[in-house]
Amino acid sequence: MRAVKASPDIAVADASLAQQLARRIASDGPLTVADYMAQANACYYATRDPFGRGGDFITAPEISQMFGELVGLWLADLWLRSGRPEDCRYVELGPGRGTLASDALRAMNSAGLTPAVEFVETSPILKRAQAERVPHARWHDGIASLPDWGPLLIVANEFFDALPIRQFVAGPAGWNERMVDQVEGRFVPFAGAPVEDGPRRPAVTGTICESSPLSMAIVADIAERIAAQGGAALIIDYGHVRSCTGETLQAVHAHAFADPWTAPGENDLTAHVDFEALSGAATSDGVAVFGPVEQGAWLGALGIDVRAAALCEQSPERADEVEAARLRLTADGQMGSLFKVMALVASGWAEPAGF
Ligand code: SAH
């Protein structure tokens, strides 16, 4: 019977993620939203480079070199005013194409800061893209394997929004975990069983609440590392300053919104980052939290206008492009107000700029 058993296994390996998840639901029952999102994004990032015009979405470092340069200068300024500690490492979580890192490292190097580079990345395709831009980096599958000595200068841009969230639906008896089932070939979310560890706010029937336990765990780990080793973390993402209710899970494909419950693994799934919850998770003694502040205000305080003017003077033929990028990164209604910036800084280090 070996041959018979072998063929379904091969079929599973070749099946689309939608088929694999459908089989799993048929045999083990509905998935949590967190499980669905984790699997969908793992498959999505493992199989493509999603950035830019021909892809699904664009991120700040891909819009303009100014973004990564200002991140690098922010780190270098903090390092200089903290007395130039030795053996610093630049750590980036989810470095995408490596564009932010290469722009930030150029700016840091020009200020005399030449850190070793450690990338936390799971996608093999994106690791290859990162290696082209930052060949001397070392790669990690998670935070745990990062070196346990030397100050860490950690950057995470649009990383936390891609991490899985749990969703809860309020019913008459309290909070229920939102689950994903398969009905007539379609993925359908529904309110599952009541949970003990749901949101702490009152359950008003019909309300949806989200939480990202993985994000909380990662921020708690980062805070602990910074407290023990020194350094800072810069977290930039779209999201809200205060915890709130409502569904924010969204799917994006080819620069347009798509249905999160269709074609898992083919769309980018993200959720708003809850900065109040993130800052609450960074509880280690020996770490101070700054912000969140709006990205537009933060880039303004770091001198994006001056940098844009210098780039326009260097290459007048690119002036329109530079000005459009500056507006896109800083204007209200574009990335300027939707995106927030938060920093964790080790005690004994200087106050960070821009907060
Ligand atoms: N920071 C980049 C890319 C943002 S997209 C930029 O600003 O352009 C999200 C990034 O996080 C991708 O590199 C993706 O592969 C990575 N990623 C997503 N989930 C991850 C996980 N669980 N562990 C490690 N990396 C992850």
Side-chain angles (χ1 to χ4, degrees):
M1 295 304 285
R2 265 169 194 238
V4 174
K5 185 173 179 299
S7 51
D9 281 346
I10 290 164
V12 168
D14 288 342
S16 71
L17 181 67
Q19 287 167 315
Q20 293 179 45
L21 292 182
R23 281 189 200 133
R24 232 186 91 188
I25 292 172
S27 68
D28 303 342
L31 306 169
T32 62
V33 169
D35 203 357
Y36 176 88
M37 184 174 176
Q39 306 240 15
N41 271 352
C43 169
Y44 176 79
Y45 284 108
T47 52
R48 76 207 70 207
D49 172 340
F51 308 103
R53 239 173 242 180
D56 290 330
F57 61 96
I58 188 155
T59 56
E62 302 296 332
I63 290 172
S64 168
Q65 70 186 74
M66 294 186 286
F67 185 81
E69 289 170 350
L70 290 171
V71 167
L73 288 176
W74 181 87
L75 289 169
D77 166 68
L78 185 66
W79 170 77
L80 283 168
R81 288 186 295 108
S82 303
R84 301 171 171 249
E86 282 180 14
D87 299 320
C88 287
R89 297 165 195 278
Y90 175 82
V91 176
E92 197 175 326
L93 313 183
R97 283 180 175 166
T99 309
L100 168 51
S102 78
D103 292 336
L105 286 163
R106 192 175 62 248
M108 283 185 263
N109 292 349
S110 70
L113 171 58
T114 53
V117 179
E118 317 277 345
F119 284 159
V120 176
E121 176 62 69
T122 42
S123 158
I125 288 187
L126 291 176
K127 277 184 201 170
R128 279 201 291 280
Q130 292 155 19
E132 275 173 31
R133 286 169 185 82
V134 189
H136 61 290
R138 294 197 309 174
W139 281 265
H140 304 264
D141 289 335
I143 311 281
S145 60
L146 290 171
D148 59 5
W149 59 276
L152 303 178
L153 304 172
I154 304 176
V155 174
N157 184 61
E158 288 211 49
F159 172 72
F160 286 100
D161 66 359
L163 297 184
I165 53 155
R166 293 175 74 185
Q167 286 186 332
F168 304 95
V169 186
W175 292 102
N176 307 299
E177 178 112 32
R178 205 173 191 212
M179 310 288 293
V180 184
D181 203 357
Q182 259 271 314
V183 182
E184 292 170 357
R186 302 170 67 90
F187 293 100
V188 180
F190 71 100
V195 286
E196 298 287 321
D197 60 347
R200 262 173 260 146
R201 57 179 72 233
V204 180
T205 302
T207 306
I208 292 186
C209 244
E210 297 174 337
S211 73
S212 179
L214 182 58
S215 299
M216 301 305 126
I218 290 176
V219 167
D221 279 357
I222 287 174
E224 208 173 291
R225 289 297 200 110
I226 290 173
Q229 294 174 231
L234 186 67
I235 297 170
I236 306 176
D237 227 307
Y238 83 112
H240 35 261
V241 171
R242 297 262 161 264
S243 300
C244 55
T245 58
E247 175 169 25
T248 73
L249 178 68
Q250 68 176 40
V252 165
H253 190 83
H255 302 271
F257 289 114
D259 174 14
W261 312 115
T262 301
E266 298 300 319
N267 305 316
D268 177 49
L269 294 186
T270 59
H272 280 220
V273 171
D274 178 347
F275 279 94
E276 184 176 357
L278 276 196
S279 90
T283 49
S284 295
D285 286 343
V287 171
V289 178
F290 295 84
V293 296
E294 292 185 354
Q295 174 174 300
W298 188 75
L299 291 172
L302 296 189
I304 192 170
D305 295 351
V306 177
R307 183 68 188 126
L311 286 175
C312 292
E313 204 173 284
Q314 262 170 36
S315 328
E317 74 288 355
R318 286 186 52 217
D320 289 351
E321 182 195 321
V322 171
E323 178 55 13
R326 188 190 67 79
L327 276 176
R328 194 156 176 199
L329 294 174
T330 59
D332 285 356
Q334 301 207 43
M335 296 175 85
S337 54
L338 184 57
F339 281 72
K340 313 288 187 304
V341 185
M342 188 174 104
L344 313 181
V345 181
S347 51
W349 280 54
E351 287 231 343
F355 289 93

